[in-house]
């Protein structure tokens, strides 16, 4: 039997929170709701949630602050929900570490579909040790258990930082990572000059796993934001 997934819904508009909760419970998710960003952080620390739905406009902390704080503490998937529609807000939502982004009004069905898709991806993360990711008919292979990468059939010597960087990006093709997020994932901390460090890691990685490092096929630049793995 499938294990029950726990979802935290952070939304101060009561009606919207109720609708989301009803839809998710119909899909057998265990749902907690809160209207407060501060309470969301407390709940997230103790609740062991599989995913968080986060409204951008909250009465106490902003959704951005909550998202950034959650990201500092964990990898829990976050879907941002907002009434703002500007494209730069969307980029910002992803920039601060949200996994996905929905603009109000959205259909609850759309939200459920996005949640299912994200949980499918993160679930496979837990089967970590046996993990082998390959792209383009095994042209690029990442063998996690062996800590090995092969490109065009040849083993590629990556530094531990390059390996972590590649794995982080390749696990979620299409997901945009900011340099800040990447440095935290790759080196476990941030410091001044981290942007250039990540750029250097990416440059070195491209030399090793791209047929044409100047026109990358796998590790793509997202201008003004960071990097993503090609879908
Ligand atoms: Ca709100």
């Amino acid at each position: 039997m499938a294990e029950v997934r726990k979802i935290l819904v952070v939304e101060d508009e009561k009606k919207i929170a109720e609708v989301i909760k009803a839809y998710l419970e119909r899909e057998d998710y265990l749902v907690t709701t809160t209207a407060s960003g501060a309470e969301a952080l407390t709940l997230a620390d103790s609740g062991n949630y599989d995913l968080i739905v986060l409204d951008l406009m909250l009465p106490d902390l902003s959704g951005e602050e909550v998202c950034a704080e959650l990201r500092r503490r964990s990898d829990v998937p976050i879907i941002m929900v907002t009434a703002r529609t500007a494209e730069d807000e969307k980029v910002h939502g992803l920039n601060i570490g949200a996994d996905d982004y929905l603009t109000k009004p959205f259909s609850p069905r759309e939200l459920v579909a996005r949640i299912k898709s994200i949980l499918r991806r993160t679930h496979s993360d837990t089967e970590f040790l046996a993990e082998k990711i390959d792209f383009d008919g095994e042209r690029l292979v990442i063998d996690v258990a062996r800590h090995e990468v092969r490109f065009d059939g040849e083993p590629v010597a990556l530094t531990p930082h390059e390996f972590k960087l590649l794995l982080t990006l390749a696990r979620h093709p299409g997901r945009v990572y900011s340099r800040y997020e990447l440095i935290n994932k790759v080196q476990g901390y941030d410091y001044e000059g981290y942007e250039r460090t990540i750029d250097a890691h990416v440059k070195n990685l491209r030399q090793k796993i791209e047929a044409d490092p100047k026109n990358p096929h796998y590790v793509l630049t997202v201008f003004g934001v960071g990097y993503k793995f090609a879908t």
Side-chain angles (χ1 to χ4, degrees):
M1 198 186 134
E3 119 193 49
V4 177
R5 298 309 185 88
K6 292 171 72 182
I7 297 178
L8 176 62
V9 176
V10 190
E11 170 62 79
D12 62 306
E13 282 169 77
K14 223 176 160 205
K15 275 210 172 126
I16 295 179
E18 278 168 8
V19 169
I20 293 176
K21 188 171 195 278
Y23 266 83
L24 293 179
E25 284 178 344
R26 208 177 297 167
E27 301 287 328
D28 292 327
Y29 293 116
L30 199 61
V31 183
T32 308
T33 61
T34 174
S36 143
E39 192 183 47
L41 290 174
T42 311
L43 286 167
D45 271 344
S46 55
N48 213 6
Y49 292 98
D50 294 293
L51 184 141
I52 296 176
V53 178
L54 177 61
D55 180 30
L56 193 60
M57 305 279 266
L58 296 167
D60 51 352
L61 299 170
S62 78
E64 278 127 322
E65 288 171 295
V66 175
C67 185
E69 191 52 43
L70 286 170
R71 262 301 156 264
R72 235 164 266 147
R73 303 174 190 200
S74 84
D75 262 351
V76 64
I78 299 168
I79 298 184
M80 293 273 273
V81 166
T82 178
R84 297 182 195 169
T85 53
E87 199 64 23
D88 60 334
E89 292 292 344
K90 192 174 287 193
V91 170
H92 192 59
L94 296 173
N95 193 7
I96 57 176
D99 293 80
D100 205 346
Y101 200 95
L102 272 179
T103 304
K104 288 178 187 172
F106 57 87
S107 93
R109 267 194 211 115
E110 175 67 19
L111 177 64
V112 169
R114 304 267 186 111
I115 287 174
K116 282 188 173 169
S117 151
I118 289 177
L119 288 179
R120 261 198 306 273
R121 287 187 333 223
T122 47
H123 188 59
S124 59
D125 277 4
T126 61
E127 283 139 32
F128 205 145
L129 284 176
E131 189 183 3
K132 202 166 125 185
I133 315 175
D134 62 82
F135 300 94
D136 298 333
E138 301 216 331
R139 182 157 198 221
L140 177 66
V141 179
I142 307 167
D143 189 332
V144 180
R146 292 167 180 239
H147 227 267
E148 272 177 13
V149 173
R150 286 189 301 281
F151 181 64
D152 268 345
E154 297 291 323
V156 180
L158 297 182
T159 67
H161 285 163
E162 288 164 5
F163 184 84
K164 262 196 203 164
L165 176 65
L166 176 62
L167 186 58
T168 300
L169 293 168
R171 273 214 179 112
H172 303 289
R175 147 94 138 93
V176 179
Y177 288 88
S178 69
R179 290 178 177 84
Y180 180 79
E181 261 184 283
L182 288 173
I183 199 75
N184 271 295
K185 284 186 189 294
V186 169
Q187 300 193 179
Y189 54 89
D190 61 276
Y191 54 92
E192 266 182 66
Y194 64 83
E195 302 207 329
R196 272 182 321 197
T197 307
I198 281 298
D199 291 346
H201 285 326
V202 167
K203 193 175 169 214
N204 294 336
L205 186 58
R206 281 175 175 160
Q207 299 289 344
K208 296 174 181 180
I209 62 151
E210 300 281 5
D212 179 1
K214 291 223 159 68
N215 293 296
H217 175 71
Y218 295 115
V219 178
L220 308 181
T221 301
V222 182
F223 287 103
V225 184
Y227 295 98
K228 68 175 182 183
F229 202 88
T231 47

